[in-house]
Every structure is written in structure tokens, then in C-alpha cells.
């Protein structure tokens, strides 16, 4: 039964490292960014001072309940014309604020830890959830190519992240994300459906009564 003991040893090691496989190519890195969180939170303040959070309109005309902004060379936007990346904030006409160096460093390190060395994000989407806000199941597929993974960093209140499969109706895992957790999905999982259940009430000591998620992409 040497096969069994190898698997057990691997699992043990994974648990110590706070690492959980969600699917081939997708990993949940518990607490991976916990020491970086205060610096990331400072960066978020600077980004939203320059490019305020706003509720985008979907192509179907619905106002998104998650408030969003971006930093980096490219920013994700949605309006009646569709979903896309833009170099400039459509609200101000200015380029998106630069990605704070600490942001890119955390994303790169997490990607490497998940098996994707050399990740160089050019886009960081900032999502702000207040209690009862949710994000319905979707794929991240507006990026130019899918070779690079998505790196998602959670700050603030806990949330239940749904991680599904290739098809919208595939069964979803419920992942209880906490402040400082990182999820990385790429390779065979790059286009997997995912979403966030309605946020519960609470008060986080650093971030307050909200959850902020940073998703890093190599978009262009
Ligand atoms: C996203 O899919 O863009 C965000 C996921 C999250 O908030 O955890
Ligand atoms: Fe997404």
C-alpha cells in the first residue's frame, strides 16, 4: 500500500501549508496573504481615492450589487456595450491608478506557490461586497489569452466562494474564504465557473463591515 501512504503524506504536507486543491489547476491558499493584508489594505485606500468604487451596469441593463474599481494598466469594465478591459477609467477619463508594487508581488508569489511561475498581472479588479451582496456564477473570460491564471485575494469579512466546473450547471464547492486567503485557478481550471454567496453581516477589525476582493489577471 505504498500508494496510499504517499497520498497521506502529501495531504498532510498540504494541510500544514494551508493548501487545498479545489480542482486540477485550482488551489486555495489559506492565509497566504495574511502578513501582506495591512499593506494591501493601504493600497486599496489609495486606489479608491483615485478611482472610486462604482456599481457597473451589465450588458442586460442591471446594476451590479458588487461595487468595483481597478488598478494596473488595464481595468475591467461593463456597460450596455458589453464586458471588456479599458486602459482608462470611463468615469474620469484618466488612466487607472498604477498597481501598487506590493499587490503585484503578492499575486506573483501566490501564483508561483500554486504552480504558475512568472505571473505578471497587468490588471487588478477591486470588488467591494457589503452584507447581502453576492456575485452570481460566471467565468473570467474577457482576458486576451488564458495561459495565465487568475489570482484572487480576500480581505475583510468572510465569504462563501463557489467554485464549480467547466459548465454552469456543474456541482460547486463551497469555499469559506477568510481575510488573507488566496485562491488561484488556471490551466485546466482557468475557465471554471465561480461566484460568491450573499455576504453575512459582520465587522472586520481592519476592513470594517465589508469584504474587499482583489482579482489579478494578465488581461492584455
Ligand atoms: C470575482 O470572481 O471577480 C471575484 C471573486 C471573489 O470576490 O472572491
Ligand atoms: Fe470572476
Amino acid at each position: 500500500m505504498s500508494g496510499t501512504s504517499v497520498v497521506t503524506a502529501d495531504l498532510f504536507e498540504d494541510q500544514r501549508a494551508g493548501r487545498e486543491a479545489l480542482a486540477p489547476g485550482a488551489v486555495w491558499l489559506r492565509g497566504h496573504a495574511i502578513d501582506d493584508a495591512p499593506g494591501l489594505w493601504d493600497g486599496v485606500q489609495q486606489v479608491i481615492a483615485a478611482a472610486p468604487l462604482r456599481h457597473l451596469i451589465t450588458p442586460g441593463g442591471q446594476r451590479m450589487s458588487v461595487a468595483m474599481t481597478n488598478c494596473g494598466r488595464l481595468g475591467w469594465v461593463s456597460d450596455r456595450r458589453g464586458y471588456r478591459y479599458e486602459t482608462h477609467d470611463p468615469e474620469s477619463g484618466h488612466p487607472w491608478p498604477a498597481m501598487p508594487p506590493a499587490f503585484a508581488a503578492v499575486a506573483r508569489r501566490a501564483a508561483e506557490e500554486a504552480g504558475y511561475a512568472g505571473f505578471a498581472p497587468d490588471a487588478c479588479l477591486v470588488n467591494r461586497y457589503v452584507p447581502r451582496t453576492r456575485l452570481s456564477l460566471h467565468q473570467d473570460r474577457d482576458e486576451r489569452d488564458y495561459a495565465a491564471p487568475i489570482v484572487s485575494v480576500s480581505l475583510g469579512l468572510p465569504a462563501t466562494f463557489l467554485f464549480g466546473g467547466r459548465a454552469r450547471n456543474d456541482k460547486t464547492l463551497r469555499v469559506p474564504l477568510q481575510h488573507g486567503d488566496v485562491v488561484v485557478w488556471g490551466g485546466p481550471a482557468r475557465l471554471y465557473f465561480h461566484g460568491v454567496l450573499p455576504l453575512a453581516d459582520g465587522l472586520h477589525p481592519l476592513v470594517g463591515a465589508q469584504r474587499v476582493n482583489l482579482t489579478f489577471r494578465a488581461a492584455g
Side-chain angles (χ1 to χ4, degrees), residues 35-158:
D35 294 339
D36 307 289
L40 295 174
W41 183 237
D42 285 349
V44 167
Q45 308 314 304
Q46 288 159 27
V47 169
I48 63 185
L53 291 160
R54 79 290 307 264
H55 295 273
L56 297 171
I57 304 299
T58 67
Q62 307 251 40
R63 175 184 185 269
M64 295 184 70
S65 69
V66 179
M68 298 180 176
T69 187
N70 293 278
C71 62
R73 191 174 68 78
L74 292 169
W76 186 84
V77 297
S78 173
D79 60 20
R80 296 302 300 229
R81 286 158 49 217
Y83 302 131
R84 63 195 176 277
Y85 284 91
E86 295 275 8
T87 55
H88 288 62
D89 178 350
E91 292 288 317
S92 66
H94 299 310
W96 295 107
M99 197 183 298
F103 281 35
V106 170
R108 188 183 188 84
R109 194 189 67 213
E112 180 153 9
E113 178 73 25
Y116 302 99
F119 181 52
D122 55 14
C124 172
L125 173 66
V126 179
N127 286 330
R128 196 276 313 272
Y129 302 76
V130 296
R132 286 165 291 287
T133 303
R134 64 190 281 273
L135 186 64
S136 54
L137 277 183
H138 66 278
Q139 296 167 291
D140 288 7
R141 58 172 194 206
D142 303 316
E143 299 70 34
R144 204 179 58 190
D145 87 60
Y146 303 139
I150 303 290
V151 173
S152 162
V153 179
S154 292
L155 299 173
L157 290 179

Side-chain angles (χ1 to χ4, degrees), residues 4 8 24 39 79 101 160 172 196 203 211:
T4 307
T8 307
D79 60 20
T160 303
T172 55
V196 179
L203 190 61
R211 170 176 186 261

